[in-house]
Amino acid sequence: QVQLVESGGGLVQAGGSLRLSCVASGISTSDYTMSWYRQAPGKQRELVSTFTRGGSTDLADSVKGRFTISRDNATNTLYLQMNSLKPEDTANYYCKASRYGVSYWGKGTLVTVSS
């Protein structure tokens, strides 16, 4: 059974930092494209960052220069380092693993940035 469990969310002031973690079980993160998505209240879920099977990464324009995605294959963990947080970063953050049209999602972790 595949499980993705996110953690690291919380309440932080604008300008602060958080590091999100997503621990995968039942799969090897190195075999999947791993992604972070977020969904703010009343808005659609949006892609934040991706770490492909080949090792390349990508970030949404809104978080470039502030967020960094990384992956530890030894521990099957995906990370999202978030710096210089803004109130508009407030959202539930979800981890996704995808490969060959099959996707698995975590249940999310809430990030709240106060102004």
Side-chain angles (χ1 to χ4, degrees), residues 84-103:
S84 302
L85 283 161
K86 304 175 180 180
E88 51 263 43
D89 295 318
T90 294
N92 272 302
Y93 284 73
Y94 299 90
C95 175
K96 175 186 172 184
S98 56
R99 185 180 73 167
Y100 305 139
V102 176
S103 296

Side-chain angles (χ1 to χ4, degrees), residues 9-80:
L11 174 63
V12 64
Q13 288 188 328
S17 298
L18 285 173
R19 188 175 81 154
L20 305 184
S21 301
C22 168
V23 179
S25 57
I27 61 169
S28 295
T29 53
S30 59
D31 294 335
Y32 285 74
T33 290
M34 302 297 297
S35 303
W36 286 101
Y37 283 75
R38 67 185 180 186
Q39 187 167 18
K43 295 189 176 181
Q44 288 189 325
R45 192 171 293 190
E46 63 173 354
L47 177 62
V48 176
S49 187
T50 298
F51 200 121
T52 70
R53 292 172 60 193
S56 61
T57 62
D58 197 15
L59 290 163
D61 288 343
S62 59
V63 304
K64 280 181 180 175
R66 301 187 298 121
F67 291 12
T68 304
I69 191 171
S70 61
R71 185 177 70 187
D72 185 341
N73 292 334
T75 60
N76 257 1
T77 303
L78 180 73
Y79 298 100
L80 185 68

